Amino acid sequence: MHRRTLHRLLSAVVVGFIGSLPALSPAQAADDAAEAMILKLSTEVLDSIKADPAIKAGDISRIISLVDTKIMPHVNFQRMTASSVGPSWRQATPEQKKRLQEEYKVLLVRTYAGALAQVNEMTVTAKPTRAAPEDKEVVVRTEVRGKGNPEPVQLDYRLERTPGEGRGWRIYNLNVMGVWLVETYRTQFAQEVNAKGIDGLIASLVERNKTNAKKA
């Protein structure tokens, strides 16, 4: 998949997080249902955007901070990175794994941040989630609609239940218009690993993040 196409898909992902959604009551917010988590997160991010003039003015550092603090804690980033890198992840050293997670996170955060300008033009609705109480993994399916575009964009989340005292749900993959992003990145990353190894993939991510930073 072409990188520009992938960027557009990732832009749609963040819109799904921050679409115009109704606020949740405390009782609903306490519910650990995956669908409730997605709706609660969307509301919190939207409220933060509305309350921050700097974000509405396009301050990239503030936008990145918002994405990093509000969205990324709800992502199982180690699992997402490992799945995206594929089998080569098991051969990576602890330092290489650390670097891969750092650069992959910067890549996604900057992509998400770049999509925030579309917030006011989008709305999102969640479809009923089919899951049993004992399920450890679920898919939350949503549709994103933009002004002037009658056709909705499919946006699905794969989430895993987190055990223990802070139990809840964390995202580990996203599907935009039928494309699961982890699998898309896995294909892209595999080509780079096969050509230049894990260090070559890290170097490629570093270079890509530098290029994105210059465009900001």
Side-chain angles (χ1 to χ4, degrees):
M1 179 179 293
H2 195 281
R3 288 182 180 177
R4 288 186 179 178
T5 301
L6 182 58
H7 186 281
R8 287 196 294 271
L9 292 176
L10 284 168
S11 295
V13 168
V14 74
V15 170
F17 278 114
I18 55 187
S20 178
L21 294 168
L24 299 175
S25 68
Q28 288 173 302
D31 188 352
D32 68 349
E35 184 179 324
M37 188 278 277
I38 293 293
L39 297 179
K40 178 177 181 291
L41 176 60
S42 301
T43 301
E44 288 178 351
V45 174
L46 182 61
D47 288 345
S48 296
I49 294 171
K50 291 178 179 178
D52 194 330
I55 289 180
K56 290 190 287 188
D59 187 326
I60 189 64
S61 64
R62 297 282 290 179
I63 295 172
I64 290 174
S65 177
L66 173 64
V67 174
D68 197 23
T69 57
K70 289 289 187 181
I71 295 177
M72 299 314 291
H74 297 277
V75 178
N76 183 339
F77 209 72
Q78 180 172 327
R79 176 174 179 176
M80 195 169 186
T81 307
S83 297
S84 297
V85 174
S88 299
W89 176 263
R90 293 192 294 271
Q91 281 71 54
T93 66
E95 178 60 26
Q96 287 175 325
K97 290 179 179 179
K98 180 174 179 290
R99 291 293 311 283
L100 283 168
Q101 288 186 75
E102 290 172 348
E103 296 301 330
Y104 191 29
K105 180 179 179 180
V106 172
L107 176 66
L108 291 183
V109 166
R110 281 196 171 273
T111 300
Y112 288 0
L116 285 174
Q118 303 177 51
V119 171
N120 293 331
E121 301 299 320
M122 297 285 183
T123 59
V124 61
T125 56
K127 298 180 180 180
T129 300
R130 298 178 180 178
E134 67 275 12
D135 286 350
K136 295 182 178 179
E137 297 188 356
V138 300
V139 176
V140 174
R141 304 185 187 280
T142 70
E143 289 184 346
V144 181
R145 294 180 181 273
K147 289 183 178 179
N149 183 4
E151 294 299 321
V153 174
Q154 172 191 346
L155 179 59
D156 303 334
Y157 304 83
R158 286 196 182 277
L159 302 99
E160 62 177 11
R161 188 190 299 274
T162 57
E165 184 178 346
R167 71 192 185 96
W169 294 92
R170 288 200 297 173
I171 299 159
Y172 67 89
N173 201 352
L174 304 123
N175 181 322
V176 184
M177 296 184 294
V179 178
W180 287 103
L181 296 185
V182 164
E183 284 72 16
T184 298
Y185 269 127
R186 184 182 300 154
T187 299
Q188 190 178 113
F189 289 175
Q191 293 173 347
E192 300 194 30
V193 170
N194 290 338
K196 301 179 181 179
I198 291 291
D199 286 335
L201 173 58
I202 294 171
S204 175
L205 289 171
V206 169
E207 185 60 33
R208 194 183 309 182
N209 287 333
K210 286 181 180 178
T211 300
N212 290 341
K214 291 177 182 178
K215 293 178 181 178

